[in-house]
Amino acid sequence: MELGLREAKKQETRQLISDHATRLFLEQGFEETTIAQVAAAARVAKKTVTNYFARKEDLVLDHQDEFVATLADAVSSRQPGESALAALRRTFEAAVAAKDPVAGFAGQEFSRMIAESPTLSARLRVLHEQRERALADALADAVGSSRSDIIVRTAAGLLGAVHHILFQRIEELTLAGRPVDEVAETVAAEAAQAFDLLEPSLGNYAVA
C-alpha cells in the first residue's frame, strides 16, 4: 500500500510539472521558457523537474516512448492471417477515428508550438527515426530474419515513411485551422490511398 501511494504521488508530481510546463510553453514559447520558470510555477525545486524530465523537450513530448513503440506494437500484435501492412493500416485507422494525440491530433496551439520550435521539431524527427528502427526490429522478428536484412529495412522504411507523411499531414491541416473532424475525415481518405500504394509490394509480407 505504501509503495502504491508513493508511486501515485510521484505520478501526480510528474503530471503537475508537465501541466505547468505545457501552459508556460504555450503562453511564452518553448525556446523562451526556462526550467527554472517551470519549477517555480509547479512549486518544486529545479532539480525535481530534471529528475522527472531529463531533457526540456521531454516536458512537451511526454508520450514519446508510446509514440516510438506504436508501429512495432501493431506488427507484434497482428491477428492470425494478417500482414504487417494490414495490421498497421487497421491500427492507424483506429487512431484517426479516435483522434489520438499520439497519431498527431494534438490541437492547433500545441502543433504550432512544435512547428515554431527548432528544438522540438528536431526531437520529433529523431522520434520518427527511432519509431522506424523499432518497426524494423519487429518486422525482423516477424519474418525470422536479421535486422540488417535489406528487405526488412526497406519494408520498415516504406511503412515508416507513410506514417511520417500522414503525421505531417495531420499537423498541416491542424495548423491551417481545419476542424478536427474534417482533419480526421480528410486524413482517413488520404491514408487509404497511401496504404493502397503499398499493397502490391507488401500486401503479403510478414503475415501472422
Side-chain angles (χ1 to χ4, degrees), residues 20-30 33 109 113:
H20 279 290
T22 299
R23 176 179 60 79
L24 287 173
F25 294 152
L26 290 174
E27 290 175 357
Q28 304 176 175
F30 177 80
T33 302
E109 281 189 315
M113 176 181 64

Side-chain angles (χ1 to χ4, degrees), residues 155-189:
L158 291 170
L159 293 165
V162 166
H163 282 82
H164 193 172
I165 290 166
L166 292 172
F167 186 97
Q168 291 175 320
R169 183 61 170 146
I170 293 168
E171 281 191 318
E172 175 187 324
L173 293 170
T174 300
L175 288 170
R178 302 286 186 86
V180 65
D181 287 343
E182 182 183 327
V183 174
E185 182 179 353
T186 299
V187 171

Side-chain angles (χ1 to χ4, degrees), residues 73-96:
D73 287 348
V75 169
S76 299
S77 61
R78 65 199 189 287
Q79 299 169 358
E82 189 175 43
S83 68
L85 174 60
L88 288 164
R89 183 173 192 155
R90 173 175 52 80
T91 54
F92 183 79
E93 289 170 350
V96 170

Side-chain angles (χ1 to χ4, degrees), residues 11-72:
Q11 184 57 40
E12 182 181 315
T13 300
R14 190 182 194 282
Q15 189 62 53
L16 175 71
I17 294 169
S18 178
D19 289 346
H20 279 290
T22 299
R23 176 179 60 79
L24 287 173
F25 294 152
L26 290 174
E27 290 175 357
Q28 304 176 175
F30 177 80
E31 307 293 347
E32 292 75 19
T33 302
T34 66
I35 294 294
Q37 289 174 324
V38 173
R43 296 185 178 181
V44 298
K46 183 178 176 181
K47 184 170 178 54
T48 301
V49 176
T50 55
N51 281 342
Y52 281 96
F53 301 92
R55 292 179 295 257
K56 182 180 169 184
E57 52 266 41
D58 294 344
L59 285 157
V60 177
L61 304 168
D62 55 344
H63 294 292
Q64 54 189 297
D65 291 343
E66 180 183 352
F67 176 82
V68 168
T70 49
L71 306 188

Side-chain angles (χ1 to χ4, degrees), residues 104-165:
F105 291 89
Q108 190 176 36
E109 281 189 315
F110 194 89
S111 297
R112 183 178 294 112
M113 176 181 64
I114 299 285
E116 292 178 349
S117 166
T119 303
L120 292 175
S121 296
R123 180 60 185 161
L124 190 56
R125 286 193 295 272
V126 170
L127 292 176
H128 278 289
E129 291 169 2
Q130 291 177 347
R131 185 166 70 156
E132 183 181 314
R133 287 197 294 272
L135 172 60
D137 289 346
L139 289 173
D141 290 341
V143 299
S145 186
S146 163
R147 263 68 171 165
S148 62
D149 187 315
I150 192 62
I151 301 300
V152 168
R153 293 170 67 177
T154 301
L158 291 170
L159 293 165
V162 166
H163 282 82
H164 193 172
I165 290 166

